[in-house]
Amino acid sequence: MPRPGLTTASVTEAAAELVDEIGFEQLSMGVLAERLGVRTPSLYKHVAGQADLAHRIAVLTHHQFADAIRDAIQGRAGGEALAAGAQAMRKWVLEHPGRYTAGNAARASGPDDPLVAAVERVVASWAAMVRGYRLNPAQEIHALRMMRSALLGFATVEAAGGFQFDAAVDDSFTWMINFIDEGLRTIAAGP
Amino acid sequence: MPRPGLTTASVTEAAAELVDEIGFEQLSMGVLAERLGVRTPSLYKHVAGQADLAHRIAVLTHHQFADAIRDAIQGRAGGEALAAGAQAMRKWVLEHPGRYTAGNAARASGPDDPLVAAVERVVASWAAMVRGYRLNPAQEIHALRMMRSALLGFATVEAAGGFQFDAAVDDSFTWMINFIDEGLRTIAAGP
DNA sequence: GCCTCTAGCTAATCGCATTAGCCAGCGCCG
DNA sequence: CGGCGCTGGCTAATGCGATTAGCTAGAGGC
């Protein structure tokens, strides 16, 4: 019998895919091992345990998430960048609900946790979107946090199935982006 | 030895308090039983199991959350209601982080799940805040969702310790409320 | 003062994560 | 080509926490 030839990275990626299919809370070492055609204890040669695995999924998630946003806003600025980045992020979340849950559940263990760097990449992507509005630096941090909260909140509620009338959710999202765009442009133009 | 005299409600409430102290993910039947001065299996006389318990905490959470907002916006309207409701909700989340996590993690099993009614009470509180702006009915639903997303997102990121510079988080929150208030007033005044 | 009903208890059971210890394939060196 | 060490995978054992089975005693009603 040939060896599957697993690595920490391949195990993590398989877990990420699995989690999108069955839901983060359903993840167990058993199902993952089965998916990889391996016995459960073998996984421990690549990850330290379930907590470690979840953490690795979270780090992977933030990197992929940051990539998706960065690619979307490439070469755009202002409202266009905002719209493109926001839509890309929403699409990504809907396509990777399990990963997204894992990413939100994770907590950094300390300043040198790789999760911190991964999260910073995401924040940097959003910061790039906000920067296009050329706000007062004192306001920029607040605008960034507002945007981050609104987008994350929307995606979270949607992923949880929290909106009653599914039909209009697309409209609500673009409406929200417009709302933010107009608000930021008003501020930028203001005193 | 006198009987503790537990009930489903008292077990749920004790679990909610416990979860705020130790974190939702640390909740186990064992620690809860210990807290209540009882042996683990005894809890099963009041709740069907850990999943049931978590679900009950979530329902309780949404009701308390809705109460907190409703009380805060009593007798206020427009921007004042928005500010008061938002601040009350943020305060509540910071004081009850474990419960809040439990509430967000829960999923309704169907339309007659008591969780649905509880969530609707929360949404109704927010709807009351938005209604004060007398928007076009077509926009009201979008405004409601935007507000819900922004507030939930902010609370979630904050509860997760996701904001880097703690000092300015208060300012960011009031800035965000102002941003939303001004945007909604502009829309209300518009065409 | 008895009777019933049930909250709480002790003693299994079970599932899943994790650990211990064994073994074989692969690459490398002679 | 044959030996050697390293390491990934395996089986068997451990352990902890959730859950279930079956027993018992205290509180409330007659």
Side-chain angles (χ1 to χ4, degrees):
Chain A
M1 64 192 103
R3 286 201 192 183
L6 303 179
T7 65
T8 300
S10 68
V11 168
T12 305
E13 274 158 36
E17 284 174 25
L18 183 58
V19 127
D20 285 336
E21 293 170 25
I22 66 175
F24 179 59
E25 52 291 334
Q26 313 301 322
L27 178 65
S28 74
M29 299 304 266
V31 284
L32 177 57
E34 188 178 12
R35 159 73 63 112
L36 289 166
V38 117
R39 299 293 183 160
T40 303
S42 304
L43 298 177
Y44 289 80
K45 286 284 154 77
H46 305 288
V47 295
Q50 199 165 227
D52 179 50
L53 176 63
H55 198 265
R56 285 174 190 280
I57 296 173
V59 173
L60 176 67
T61 294
H62 279 97
H63 279 298
Q64 294 179 333
F65 193 77
D67 289 347
I69 299 171
R70 178 191 32 128
D71 292 350
I73 65 180
Q74 271 297 2
R76 300 173 206 262
E80 260 192 68
L82 173 62
Q87 293 287 2
M89 99 108 197
R90 174 167 173 241
K91 179 160 174 278
W92 194 90
V93 171
L94 291 178
E95 283 168 357
H96 306 97
R99 253 172 260 226
Y100 182 68
T101 303
N104 281 336
R107 297 278 178 282
S109 62
D112 50 352
D113 187 323
L115 180 61
V116 172
V119 170
E120 276 170 6
R121 281 198 56 210
V122 176
V123 174
S125 292
W126 282 337
M129 281 163 49
V130 171
R131 205 167 301 120
Y133 288 93
R134 309 190 170 286
L135 303 177
N136 175 335
Q139 306 220 314
E140 201 164 72
I141 178 73
H142 299 138
L144 171 58
R145 287 173 170 174
M146 182 270 292
M147 215 184 56
R148 182 178 172 193
S149 299
L151 295 179
L152 275 182
F154 196 99
T156 301
V157 175
E158 183 174 20
F163 292 131
Q164 298 288 324
F165 308 106
D166 291 348
V169 174
D170 282 355
D171 293 344
S172 292
F173 193 68
T174 55
W175 189 93
M176 183 173 84
I177 295 172
N178 266 318
F179 182 90
I180 294 174
D181 176 57
E182 288 177 14
L184 292 182
R185 280 195 285 113
T186 301
I187 292 175
Chain B
M1 65 190 95
R3 287 200 191 183
L6 303 179
T7 65
T8 300
S10 68
V11 168
T12 305
E13 275 159 36
E17 283 174 26
L18 183 57
V19 128
D20 285 336
E21 293 170 25
I22 66 175
F24 179 59
E25 52 291 334
Q26 312 302 323
L27 178 64
S28 75
M29 298 304 266
V31 285
L32 177 57
E34 188 178 13
R35 158 74 62 113
L36 289 165
V38 117
R39 299 294 183 156
T40 304
S42 303
L43 298 177
Y44 289 80
K45 285 284 154 73
H46 304 288
V47 296
Q50 199 166 228
D52 178 51
L53 176 63
H55 198 267
R56 285 174 190 280
I57 296 173
V59 174
L60 176 67
T61 294
H62 279 97
H63 279 299
Q64 295 179 333
F65 193 76
D67 289 347
I69 300 171
R70 178 190 31 124
D71 291 351
I73 65 180
Q74 271 297 1
R76 299 173 206 263
E80 259 192 70
L82 173 61
Q87 293 287 2
M89 99 109 197
R90 175 166 173 243
K91 180 159 173 277
W92 193 90
V93 170
L94 291 179
E95 284 169 356
H96 306 96
R99 253 172 260 226
Y100 182 68
T101 304
N104 281 336
R107 295 280 179 281
S109 62
D112 50 353
D113 188 322
L115 180 62
V116 172
V119 171
E120 276 169 7
R121 281 197 57 210
V122 176
V123 173
S125 292
W126 281 337
M129 281 163 48
V130 171
R131 205 167 300 120
Y133 288 93
R134 308 190 170 286
L135 302 177
N136 175 334
Q139 306 220 317
E140 201 164 72
I141 178 74
H142 299 138
L144 171 58
R145 286 173 172 174
M146 181 270 291
M147 216 184 57
R148 182 180 172 192
S149 299
L151 296 179
L152 275 182
F154 196 99
T156 301
V157 175
E158 184 175 18
F163 293 130
Q164 299 287 325
F165 308 106
D166 292 348
V169 173
D170 282 355
D171 292 344
S172 293
F173 192 69
T174 56
W175 189 93
M176 182 173 84
I177 294 172
N178 266 319
F179 182 90
I180 294 174
D181 176 56
E182 287 177 16
L184 291 182
R185 280 194 285 113
T186 301
I187 292 175

